[in-house]
Amino acid sequence: QVQLVESGGGLVQAGGSLRLSCAASGPFFSIRNMGWHRQAPGKQRELVAIITRGGTTTYADSVKGRFTASRDSAKNTVYLQMRSLKPEDTAVYYCNADLKTTMWKDYNDYWGQGTQVTVSS
């Protein structure tokens, strides 16, 4: 069973920082892209950041310059360093991995359970 487990969420004051981690484990052949999405109350889930196998990153406009995604492929782990946090960043943050479980299968999306980030004003 493939699992993605997020950690690092919590409560922080506006202007503060948090670093989220997500580790993939289980029987899989390879991981392609990894990323982060978030869902605030009453809103649709939105893309926050994507990082490719080669380390190329893409960010939502709302977090550019404040958030940094990185990964350690050897550990099958993706990180999201969040700085200058705003109350608007409050959401459940979900880790995503584009992976295939065997060489012969297509890539599919796998999701973590999410971690709560709350930014107080």
Side-chain angles (χ1 to χ4, degrees):
Q1 295 179 334
V2 176
Q3 289 187 315
L4 299 176
V5 180
E6 301 101 332
S7 62
L11 175 65
V12 65
Q13 292 189 92
S17 300
L18 285 174
R19 190 178 79 150
L20 306 183
S21 300
C22 173
S25 63
F28 57 84
F29 178 72
S30 66
I31 299 175
R32 192 160 58 186
N33 299 335
M34 301 185 78
W36 294 92
H37 294 68
R38 67 186 182 186
Q39 187 166 20
K43 294 186 177 181
Q44 295 287 321
R45 187 174 298 187
E46 65 175 348
L47 173 70
V48 176
I50 294 173
I51 182 165
T52 69
R53 197 202 311 265
T56 301
T57 53
T58 302
Y59 300 97
D61 288 342
S62 59
V63 306
K64 285 181 180 178
R66 299 188 299 119
F67 290 11
T68 303
S70 60
R71 67 189 290 175
D72 184 339
S73 294
K75 296 181 179 180
N76 300 313
T77 299
V78 62
Y79 306 93
L80 186 68
Q81 179 67 56
M82 304 184 292
R83 302 179 179 89
S84 300
L85 283 161
K86 305 174 181 179
E88 306 90 86
D89 296 317
T90 295
V92 177
Y93 284 71
Y94 297 91
C95 173
N96 168 254
D98 181 30
L99 62 82
K100 56 181 178 180
T101 54
T102 73
M103 179 185 297
W104 312 111
K105 293 184 177 181
D106 292 336
Y107 284 95
N108 293 112
D109 289 333
Y110 289 80
W111 294 87
Q113 292 298 114
T115 185
Q116 177 70 48
V117 172
T118 302
V119 184
S120 64
S121 59

